[in-house]
Amino acid sequence: MGMLGSWDGIRFMVTDETVMRADNLKRKQKARISEYEGINDTNTKIHFNGMEPAELSFSIELNALLGKRPVKTSNEIDAKMKQGRHAPFILGRKQIGRCDWMISSKSDAYEIILSRGEVLSAKLDITMKEYH
């Protein structure tokens, strides 16, 4: 139990009172390449132009019964995305990559909604990009 990681003040943790994990964490890296053909050449030439910014994607499951209010937490993450906030992404005690990360997209799925419109459970899918 305890701290699993963090990004810009958002803590991924499991304690007796709270559960907020970053599940299905994936890191994607992609090369930037150019393809071209010579005038009298049938073979395609490929040229390496560097690396695209890496991407991290993960899901967060929020449940009010496990200590995290889904809409409030989602709104906090939205605010950080709209401000263009960037910070190191820490997993355990290690920083992922050498650069900061910023949220490039987020989607919310409200899974359990009570009769008064209160969201009891939600799943957030977040994608981040390396910030240089």
Side-chain angles (χ1 to χ4, degrees), residues 1 13-20 63-68:
M1 286 202 254
M13 65 183 125
V14 177
T15 67
D16 290 340
E17 298 85 30
T18 304
V19 175
M20 184 165 142
N63 190 312
L65 298 177
L66 298 175
K68 281 295 184 181

Coordinates of all heavy atoms in Angstrom, one line a residue, residues 1 13-20 63-68:
M1 N 0.8 -1.2 0.0 CA 0.0 0.0 0.0 C 0.9 1.2 0.0 O 2.0 1.2 0.5 CB -0.9 0.0 1.2 CG -2.0 -1.0 1.2 SD -3.3 -0.5 2.2 CE -3.1 -1.7 3.5
M13 N -2.2 6.3 -5.9 CA -1.9 5.6 -4.6 C -3.0 4.6 -4.3 O -4.1 4.6 -4.8 CB -1.9 6.6 -3.5 CG -3.2 7.4 -3.2 SD -3.0 8.6 -2.0 CE -3.6 10.0 -2.9
V14 N -2.6 3.7 -3.3 CA -3.5 2.8 -2.7 C -3.3 2.9 -1.2 O -2.2 2.6 -0.8 CB -3.3 1.3 -3.2 CG1 -4.2 0.4 -2.5 CG2 -3.5 1.3 -4.7
T15 N -4.3 3.3 -0.5 CA -4.2 3.3 1.0 C -5.4 2.7 1.6 O -6.3 2.2 0.8 CB -4.1 4.8 1.5 OG1 -5.3 5.5 1.3 CG2 -2.9 5.5 0.9
D16 N -5.6 2.7 2.9 CA -6.8 2.2 3.5 C -8.0 3.0 3.1 O -9.1 2.4 3.1 CB -6.6 2.1 5.0 CG -5.6 1.1 5.5 OD1 -5.3 0.2 4.7 OD2 -5.1 1.2 6.6
E17 N -7.8 4.3 2.9 CA -9.0 5.1 2.6 C -9.2 5.5 1.1 O -10.3 5.8 0.7 CB -8.8 6.5 3.3 CG -8.8 6.4 4.8 CD -7.4 6.1 5.3 OE1 -6.4 6.5 4.7 OE2 -7.2 5.5 6.4
T18 N -8.1 5.4 0.3 CA -8.2 5.9 -1.1 C -7.5 4.9 -2.0 O -6.5 4.3 -1.8 CB -7.4 7.2 -1.2 OG1 -8.0 8.1 -0.2 CG2 -7.5 7.8 -2.5
V19 N -8.2 4.8 -3.2 CA -7.6 4.0 -4.3 C -7.7 4.9 -5.6 O -8.7 5.3 -6.0 CB -8.3 2.7 -4.6 CG1 -7.8 2.0 -5.8 CG2 -8.3 1.8 -3.4
M20 N -6.5 5.2 -6.1 CA -6.4 5.9 -7.4 C -5.2 5.4 -8.1 O -4.1 5.8 -7.8 CB -6.4 7.4 -7.2 CG -6.4 8.1 -8.6 SD -6.8 9.9 -8.3 CE -5.7 10.6 -9.6
N63 N -13.7 6.0 -7.9 CA -14.9 5.5 -7.2 C -15.1 6.3 -5.9 O -14.1 6.3 -5.1 CB -14.9 4.0 -6.9 CG -16.2 3.5 -6.4 OD1 -16.8 4.0 -5.5 ND2 -16.6 2.4 -7.0
A64 N -16.2 7.0 -5.7 CA -16.4 7.8 -4.5 C -16.3 7.0 -3.2 O -15.9 7.5 -2.2 CB -17.8 8.5 -4.6
L65 N -16.7 5.7 -3.3 CA -16.7 4.8 -2.2 C -15.2 4.5 -1.8 O -15.0 4.0 -0.7 CB -17.4 3.5 -2.4 CG -18.9 3.7 -2.7 CD1 -19.6 2.4 -3.0 CD2 -19.6 4.4 -1.5
L66 N -14.3 4.7 -2.7 CA -12.9 4.4 -2.4 C -12.1 5.7 -2.3 O -10.9 5.7 -2.4 CB -12.3 3.6 -3.6 CG -12.9 2.2 -3.7 CD1 -12.3 1.5 -4.9 CD2 -12.8 1.3 -2.5
G67 N -12.7 6.8 -1.9 CA -12.1 8.0 -1.5 C -11.8 9.0 -2.6 O -11.2 10.1 -2.3
K68 N -12.2 8.8 -3.8 CA -11.9 9.8 -4.9 C -13.2 10.2 -5.5 O -13.9 9.4 -6.1 CB -11.0 9.3 -5.9 CG -9.5 9.3 -5.5 CD -9.1 10.8 -5.3 CE -7.7 10.9 -5.0 NZ -7.3 12.3 -4.8

